[in-house]
Amino acid sequence: MAILVTGGAGYIGSHTCVELLNAGYEVIIIDNLYNSNIESVNRIREITKKDIKFYPTDLIDRDYLESVFLENKIEAVIHFAGYKAVGESVKLPLDYYHNNVTGTINLCRIMQKYNVKKMVFSSSATVYDVYERGAICEDFPLKAYNPYGRTKLMIEEILRDLYVSDDSWSISLLRYFNPVGAHSSGLIGEDPQGIPNNLLPYISNVAIGKLPELQVFGNDYPTLDGTGVRDYIHVVDLALGHLKAIEKVLSTIGVNAYNLGTGNGYSVLEMIHIFEKVSGKNIAYKIVNRRPGDLAICYADPTKAKAELNWAAIRGIEEMCKDAWQWQLKNPHGYRTLESPKK
Ligand code: NAD
Ligand code: UFG
């Protein structure tokens, strides 16, 4: 019996595959490599010294997807595959709805056909309608403000409807806060294409000299130092949260949402200073205008995940920055080599 991991070659997926293999699960990846590199799958094998099946397919290709279910005995699915860039989703909404929502519907149809009714889904803290309410609980009001967020919210609702139609499904909706860092081996990590959108990859690009300076988006928020505060979570803690969620879906039925965050917030300036400390590098930055759509503060109340999944994040902010830096140092071009600069 195996766990199928969609998007398993990507950032969070690859770290989760490592933890699944270490815990003794058989793992099958499907990924179209749209935003990842086959080298990450080789690195998963290298870290774990275990084999892993990889299918280079797209969730939109239902026939190929079905062949994966025919060839393997799949027990449960962890569904990471999707597009994830907020700004791009505003420009390309149809691509986002098609890839994320249609891809998920295809997957669920085939799961249903093969009687595989256990799923862990990658949702996001972006589904919350939050305005400086303090720590975010799972029962807070939900609302999306861009096409990417709407795909997450729609998929959550589709999965709830699926359970209403057939109560033998078991589904965990994992709402991630801000995943950062890398595996302690430095062999797998976040490998954004082009200029990074997110804070930590941007900082580490400045630290290694690939980008001249960080733009800090606003210092007039109602926070300790005026810069935005987020709940950064080590990607390995996040991966371990998926193991707990898999245990849960394998042993129960129903649909449950869980926050995966630490419950602690750090500002942009704090992140810069911690990264400087662990890397020994100076991070040049300048304060610019606020980025449209940004919140001042966003951090999780992780109590429900602790109580029901027996999971809590244990890796601190310095470890997150240290592991991100080690990944950057060991892989200055990400998974690409100088001989093969393209993906
Ligand atoms: P990622 O882009 O590194 O991984 C996603 C993987 O899915 C990629 O390898 C990509 O090639 C693959 N993929 C995309 N569409 C596909 C399709 N139609 N068929 C097959 N493969 C496809 O992203 P990530 O950071 O690892 O995020 C994983 C999931 O977690 C995503 O659903 C994302 O929306 C969600 N999430 C991420 C964050 C974050 O900050 N990284 C925060 C909240 C939620
Ligand atoms: N920031 C900067 N400069 C940068 C990048 C970010 O100052 O170059 C600041 C932002 O303004 C924010 C903080 O750093 O205050 C974190 O920004 P990120 O872009 O790293 O993360 P966000 O919290 O904005 O967004 C993340 C994911 C989204 C997801 C959202 C909510 O990238 O996909 O969390 O879960 F929707």
Side-chain angles (χ1 to χ4, degrees):
M1 295 288 252
I3 308 293
L4 177 70
V5 182
T6 77
Y11 173 45
I12 306 169
S14 56
H15 289 81
T16 303
C17 288
V18 165
E19 299 308 326
L20 286 167
L21 289 163
N22 284 344
Y25 289 97
E26 190 188 327
V27 178
I28 299 163
I29 292 180
I30 60 175
D31 197 306
N32 63 4
L33 302 178
Y34 170 83
N35 195 39
S36 50
N37 190 302
I38 188 64
E39 182 59 17
S40 74
V41 180
N42 298 332
R43 304 271 180 99
I44 295 169
R45 294 189 180 111
E46 188 179 339
I47 294 168
T48 61
K49 313 259 181 302
K50 290 190 176 162
D51 200 18
I52 188 166
K53 268 194 190 169
F54 174 74
Y55 292 92
T57 187
D58 195 306
L59 290 180
I60 299 300
D61 184 346
R62 277 176 66 176
D63 290 340
Y64 195 134
L65 195 55
E66 179 154 6
S67 71
V68 177
F69 280 75
L70 271 171
E71 272 176 34
N72 299 282
K73 187 86 194 101
I74 294 166
E75 195 171 7
V77 175
I78 307 185
H79 178 29
F80 291 104
Y83 297 161
K84 63 165 185 177
V86 172
E88 186 183 62
S89 79
V90 175
K91 294 190 187 111
L92 302 171
L94 298 180
D95 290 355
Y96 271 68
Y97 290 121
H98 184 56
N99 191 60
N100 294 7
V101 180
T102 310
T104 303
I105 292 172
N106 284 349
L107 177 66
C108 290
R109 276 195 197 281
I110 291 165
M111 288 175 69
Q112 198 167 39
K113 182 165 173 186
Y114 289 86
N115 203 27
V116 180
K117 295 182 179 172
K118 296 172 186 312
M119 181 191 274
V120 174
F121 171 62
S122 295
S123 189
S124 165
T126 196
V127 299
Y128 290 112
D129 191 13
V130 276
Y131 280 104
E132 283 80 68
R133 288 168 183 265
I136 297 171
C137 297
E138 287 82 354
D139 58 2
F140 271 28
L142 304 177
K143 187 175 164 87
Y145 287 89
N146 52 67
Y148 165 69
R150 262 187 286 281
T151 68
K152 291 293 173 195
L153 206 46
M154 280 178 192
I155 294 168
E156 286 202 4
E157 285 169 354
I158 289 167
L159 295 175
R160 286 184 194 282
D161 286 341
L162 194 54
Y163 174 71
V164 170
S165 75
D166 173 357
D167 66 8
S168 61
W169 279 85
S170 179
I171 299 167
S172 277
L173 311 171
L174 301 184
R175 296 178 181 153
Y176 311 153
F177 281 68
N178 290 60
V180 296
H183 191 262
S184 59
S185 63
L187 288 173
I188 54 172
E190 189 170 10
D191 182 20
Q193 310 298 313
I195 296 178
N197 293 312
N198 296 114
L199 181 67
L200 214 68
Y202 205 109
I203 290 180
S204 76
N205 270 236
V206 173
I208 205 153
K210 278 164 67 177
L211 291 169
E213 69 179 2
L214 172 75
Q215 297 194 329
V216 175
F217 299 138
N219 68 346
D220 55 353
Y221 286 108
T223 62
L224 204 67
D225 58 27
T227 64
V229 168
R230 293 292 183 275
D231 185 339
Y232 298 95
I233 173 169
H234 196 297
V235 65
V236 173
D237 279 331
L238 193 64
L240 291 167
H242 290 73
L243 259 67
K244 294 292 188 180
I246 274 289
E247 285 170 24
K248 176 87 175 173
V249 296
L250 290 175
S251 60
T252 55
I253 50 166
V255 184
N256 282 292
Y258 297 103
N259 286 340
L260 296 190
T262 64
N264 303 313
Y266 288 90
S267 75
V268 177
L269 293 183
E270 283 177 313
M271 292 301 282
I272 293 172
H273 295 138
I274 296 163
F275 205 94
E276 284 180 327
K277 183 175 154 197
V278 303
S279 66
K281 299 281 179 185
N282 177 52
I283 311 294
Y285 70 88
K286 80 164 175 236
I287 309 287
V288 299
N289 288 339
R290 290 181 178 193
R291 184 169 65 178
D294 269 358
L295 294 167
I297 302 175
C298 180
Y299 66 100
D301 178 339
T303 311
K304 187 178 173 198
K306 173 80 185 151
E308 295 185 18
L309 299 179
N310 189 26
W311 170 88
I314 55 170
R315 291 164 179 78
I317 198 74
E318 289 202 6
E319 191 170 349
M320 298 180 211
C321 293
K322 183 177 68 59
D323 289 341
W325 179 233
Q326 191 189 201
W327 155 254
Q328 178 76 74
L329 276 178
K330 281 194 170 178
N331 307 271
H333 307 285
Y335 289 115
R336 292 162 298 272
T337 60
L338 282 176
E339 295 76 43
S340 60
K342 293 198 180 126
K343 278 207 305 174

